[in-house]
Amino acid sequence: MGYRKINTPAILSAWEQFVSTGDLEPGVLAPEVEASWRRCQEAGVDPFAGRAMGVLRPSAFAALVERKQDLIRVAKPFMDNLFSLVAGAFVVLLFDENGILLEAVGDPERIRTCQDLNLNGGALWDEHEVGTNGAGTCLVLGRPFQVSGPEHFCRKHHRWTCSGAPILDPEGRALGVLDLSGPVDETHSHTLGLVMASVAAIQNSLALEQRNQELTLLNDRLSRILGTVTDGVIVVDAQGAIGRINPVAERILAIRGPQAEGTAIQDLVLDPEPLAALLAQGREFLDREVDVRSGQGLQHCLASGKPILGAAGAVRGAVLFVNPINKLKRLVNRFSGAQATFRFEDILGGGEALVKAVQLGRAASENDSNVLLTGESGTGKEMFAQSIHNQSDRRRGPFVAVNCGAIPRELIASELFGYQDGAFTGAARGGRPGKFELAGGGTLFLDEIGDMPLEQQVALLRVLQDRTITRLGGDRAFLVDVRIICATHKDLREEARRGTFRQDLYYRLNVSTIKLPPLREHPEDVPVLLEAFLRKLKGRAGLAIDPAVVAVLQAHAWPGNIREFQNVVERMALSVRGGRIQVEHLPEELLRPPEAPPARLTAVASGPVKLRDLLAEEEREDILACLRSAKGNMTRAAQDLGISRNTLYRKMEKFGI
């Protein structure tokens, strides 16, 4: 509603008639004024009063001001500016959405002399309280409104012109009203326009402040998120200049955030190609291996990059997510089961030979030296390796086990050292880390080290000497932080003498040697092991045991050692129908008398028996025992021996089995 010139005498006459009779001559009043008068009449407003009598208590008004502090703070400078344009007898008033006066700007003396109108904070100025007025009627109409002279329903306001405009939030809800009131004869055609312009400025400022608050809140949330994510996050602009990094990225780059700002990301990454495509074309990349320069040298990392696009699709910058490879490998190992579960406390038995082995294992766990575990198949070499790991300073790192005898010789290099993309036909895209990398920060257990091919023994020796590896097809050496524990059932000294195992590698591995005794050397532990294995079998823990059974078990040679013993216990327990294990439940092979030595070995009577022949015969007996125990199941026999099926077939052919 714009400025309206009014016919003051006609309107005054209409007012007198209306307050006397309630009648109105059509067309004299503007429709919104007439509607307001009728609302005031229905509400019982006294046309001869007009002073705001409804006033908030001081405590309630203080609470209202606290709640509307943002509106008051933003509006006050515009109220001061508006008053400076009109000055004189005018007063600028700010109301809340209910018509309660919040703030008044004007000449203090003028405000003080207007006590008949009550311009004090907390006064209620809605239509039901003071009749038609710039603030109250504006709130009813929901739009700017100007009321002048006798258009006011209450006579005390007839000397005033009030111009009010609602202050709305972005959703169109009323936050309050700005009103400019002054003498009728000093009001001009631009008065309402000035109020509306001031309200527009207030609304813009409120919206801008709200956006700033939202941005501040968003920035605070983003900071909290960046501070808690486990990835290193680097935000760069369109030219690649770093704008922000999170604490994880600070640790990766070994630099504080403010120092990193402005640094070109291209100067920190050795391979700039994916970054160039990201910033120039918005081409994102995922899980790329990159080398990052840091204050502590090169960091081998896995990185992903996503572009930040503008409204028109132009690249405005990018976000990089970076993680050290070693950290990811430890996480993968943690959830993929590459963990040691056994501890020295799990090793049962009190035989002298076993106790000595445990003592040596505990001593080995106190340092990082290479350990060589020797002993027959089934004596628990991996259990000892896991126990050493779990008592060492590396217990929080991965424990990765590799059976060197179970991996085809042509694959063992890629299995141990990894390979680059395209290193050979069939290589996985992007390459793959080897077991040395996966075991970083932990322990690598090389079982059946005696079966490792000679050519890979050379590579292993180099790793032990330099603590670096190079992936197949790659040209860069990686530092590895790995503790090596090896195991074998062979006599490596003899193998080295025969030339099937490198002497220099043997000396490297033979720093701390622990010989695990076969079960026949500590038969006193048979009862303890028997009870322990029965407890592990569901529903078999309370079985009674005939002493004759224990005697037979202690007398057996146990070529398969603990592995064979556990198998026998399970077979006995499953065959029991009552509550007692008796001799009849023992496997048949334990009840037969020991077999006579093969003719070919006893026939060598004319001269001394060679050591290698004795070793070969012992290995043959091991294979036969496992085949009998597995009832001819080749896969199970190979597992019991700790070798592959192919190796088992070759050995059977060699020994004429």
Side-chain angles (χ1 to χ4, degrees):
M1 177 180 178
Y3 175 76
R4 295 179 293 104
K5 285 191 175 182
I6 63 172
N7 186 338
T8 300
I11 293 176
L12 182 58
S13 175
W15 178 82
E16 291 172 344
Q17 180 183 0
F18 184 74
V19 298
S20 299
T21 66
D23 297 329
L24 270 176
E25 186 178 338
V28 177
L29 297 176
E32 59 269 24
V33 174
E34 181 178 341
S36 175
W37 281 13
R38 295 195 183 281
R39 287 193 299 272
C40 294
Q41 185 184 49
E42 292 175 4
V45 178
D46 183 356
F48 299 100
R51 185 179 190 276
M53 301 302 293
V55 181
L56 291 180
R57 293 191 302 274
S59 60
F61 179 62
L64 176 63
V65 170
E66 175 71 20
R67 192 170 69 252
K68 306 294 286 188
Q69 60 177 330
D70 290 341
L71 173 63
I72 297 170
R73 176 175 46 78
V74 172
K76 185 64 166 59
F78 295 100
M79 295 173 68
D80 292 337
N81 183 62
L82 180 59
F83 178 71
S84 70
L85 295 176
V86 294
F90 282 87
V91 61
V92 184
L93 306 172
L94 178 67
F95 300 86
D96 77 349
E97 66 276 15
N98 297 311
I100 297 174
L101 183 59
L102 297 173
E103 186 75 25
V105 174
D107 178 65
E109 183 62 24
R110 180 69 174 174
I111 293 175
R112 188 183 64 78
T113 58
C114 290
Q115 289 306 305
D116 59 331
L117 300 179
N118 195 354
L119 298 181
N120 296 317
L124 178 62
W125 278 71
D126 68 0
E127 280 190 342
H128 292 177
E129 182 70 17
V130 294
T132 307
N133 69 91
T137 306
C138 171
L139 286 171
V140 173
L141 297 176
R143 57 178 173 78
F145 175 71
Q146 187 178 67
V147 56
S148 183
E151 287 183 324
H152 289 88
F153 183 75
C154 294
R155 187 170 60 182
K156 284 187 177 182
H157 301 159
H158 285 184
R159 54 195 176 93
W160 292 87
T161 294
C162 301
S163 304
I167 302 171
L168 307 177
D169 68 9
E171 285 73 38
R173 295 186 295 264
L175 297 173
V177 172
L178 184 68
D179 177 270
L180 177 62
S181 295
V184 171
D185 54 359
E186 293 185 28
T187 301
H188 53 77
S189 60
H190 300 300
T191 300
L192 183 59
L194 289 173
V195 174
M196 294 170 65
S198 297
V199 164
I202 291 171
Q203 290 179 163
N204 289 337
S205 295
L206 286 170
L208 180 61
E209 185 166 280
Q210 181 179 347
R211 285 194 294 271
N212 287 338
Q213 290 175 349
E214 290 172 353
L215 288 173
T216 300
L217 179 61
L218 181 62
N219 186 62
D220 180 64
R221 289 176 177 171
L222 180 61
S223 297
R224 291 176 183 273
I225 292 172
L226 291 180
T228 55
V229 295
T230 57
D231 292 349
V233 181
I234 304 173
V235 183
V236 300
D237 63 16
Q239 286 71 46
I242 294 176
R244 186 171 189 174
I245 63 176
N246 73 336
V248 177
E250 288 182 349
R251 291 194 292 272
I252 293 172
L253 300 176
I255 189 173
R256 299 292 297 169
Q259 297 172 311
E261 292 178 9
T263 302
I265 189 64
Q266 296 90 335
D267 295 339
L268 299 179
V269 178
L270 292 190
D271 180 12
E273 179 186 348
L275 285 174
L278 174 65
L279 295 175
Q281 305 159 24
R283 187 188 306 161
E284 66 180 62
F285 59 89
L286 182 66
D287 295 339
R288 289 285 296 265
E289 290 190 40
V290 297
D291 291 316
V292 178
R293 294 187 180 93
S294 76
Q296 299 173 344
L298 283 180
Q299 285 262 33
H300 191 52
C301 299
L302 204 65
S304 299
K306 290 186 176 295
I308 300 173
L309 303 178
V315 179
R316 303 290 298 274
V319 181
L320 303 177
F321 302 91
V322 185
N323 257 313
I325 289 285
N326 287 339
K327 174 184 172 185
L328 294 174
K329 289 169 186 169
R330 288 194 296 270
L331 189 62
V332 169
N333 287 334
R334 176 183 172 189
F335 290 103
S336 65
Q339 295 289 308
T341 56
F342 290 110
R343 290 171 169 74
F344 285 114
E345 293 76 12
D346 300 319
I347 299 175
L348 302 177
E352 182 179 350
L354 184 62
V355 170
K356 180 180 179 182
V358 170
Q359 290 173 344
L360 290 174
R362 291 184 183 275
S365 65
E366 296 176 0
N367 57 66
D368 246 6
S369 299
N370 301 327
V371 178
L372 178 62
L373 300 173
T374 65
E376 299 174 8
S377 295
T379 50
K381 293 186 285 293
E382 182 166 353
M383 189 176 188
F384 260 79
Q386 292 189 18
S387 300
I388 293 171
H389 170 83
N390 275 331
Q391 193 160 315
S392 72
D393 292 338
R394 294 177 174 269
R395 56 185 170 273
R396 290 186 177 85
F399 177 88
V400 179
V402 179
N403 190 323
C404 300
I407 304 173
R409 61 188 304 124
E410 62 272 12
L411 296 180
I412 193 166
S414 61
E415 188 73 16
L416 290 177
F417 309 120
Y419 54 84
Q420 293 294 103
D421 189 2
F424 52 85
T425 303
R429 180 169 180 157
R432 181 172 294 174
K435 293 297 191 288
F436 271 97
E437 290 183 68
L438 293 176
T443 301
L444 179 62
F445 175 54
L446 299 176
D447 199 5
E448 298 299 345
I449 188 68
D451 291 337
M452 178 177 282
L454 279 170
E455 60 269 22
Q456 300 310 327
Q457 293 179 28
V458 178
L460 176 59
L461 179 63
R462 186 178 302 115
V463 175
L464 296 178
Q465 289 174 336
D466 302 338
R467 293 292 171 181
T468 61
I469 63 161
T470 303
R471 291 184 181 179
L472 292 184
D475 56 5
R476 194 174 79 79
F478 294 90
L479 278 172
V480 289
D481 174 25
V482 178
R483 199 258 180 92
I484 304 295
I485 299 179
C486 297
T488 182
H489 68 281
K490 296 182 177 181
D491 184 344
L492 290 189
R493 183 187 296 274
E494 175 62 18
E495 295 292 323
R497 190 189 65 77
R498 293 168 54 188
T500 59
F501 198 85
R502 292 184 61 94
Q503 283 192 347
D504 45 7
L505 178 58
Y506 170 68
Y507 295 136
R508 275 280 179 183
L509 297 176
N510 193 29
V511 176
S512 179
T513 301
I514 303 174
K515 183 180 184 304
L516 305 188
L519 183 54
R520 62 182 174 273
E521 292 184 7
H522 56 110
E524 63 271 31
D525 292 329
V526 165
V528 176
L529 294 171
L530 178 58
E531 290 184 8
F533 290 144
L534 285 175
R535 282 197 300 272
K536 290 184 178 180
L537 296 174
K538 186 176 180 181
R540 304 292 175 177
L543 289 175
I545 304 168
D546 191 319
V549 171
V550 177
V552 173
L553 295 176
Q554 288 179 313
H556 187 60
W558 297 112
N561 292 295
I562 306 298
R563 188 183 294 116
E564 181 190 1
F565 180 83
Q566 184 174 9
N567 176 271
V568 167
V569 172
E570 291 182 14
R571 289 165 62 188
M572 289 192 305
L574 294 175
S575 64
V576 172
R577 292 295 175 263
R580 185 180 182 85
I581 298 177
Q582 298 181 0
V583 174
E584 63 190 57
H585 299 121
L586 286 165
E588 183 181 347
E589 60 266 24
L590 267 68
L591 298 174
R592 289 199 303 262
E595 296 181 5
R600 70 176 186 278
L601 191 59
T602 56
V604 188
S606 57
V609 178
K610 293 184 178 179
L611 177 60
R612 63 172 174 270
D613 293 332
L614 290 173
L615 293 173
E617 184 58 33
E618 183 179 345
E619 186 175 7
R620 183 178 186 277
E621 289 302 317
D622 285 346
I623 294 173
L624 283 170
C626 285
L627 286 170
R628 284 195 297 268
S629 176
K631 295 184 178 180
N633 186 317
M634 303 297 290
T635 300
R636 185 171 175 183
Q639 290 174 345
D640 289 345
L641 288 165
I643 60 177
S644 67
R645 278 169 47 110
N646 290 338
T647 302
L648 177 57
Y649 281 123
R650 288 198 302 270
K651 290 180 180 292
M652 289 174 65
E653 182 179 357
K654 173 183 174 183
F655 295 128
I657 300 175

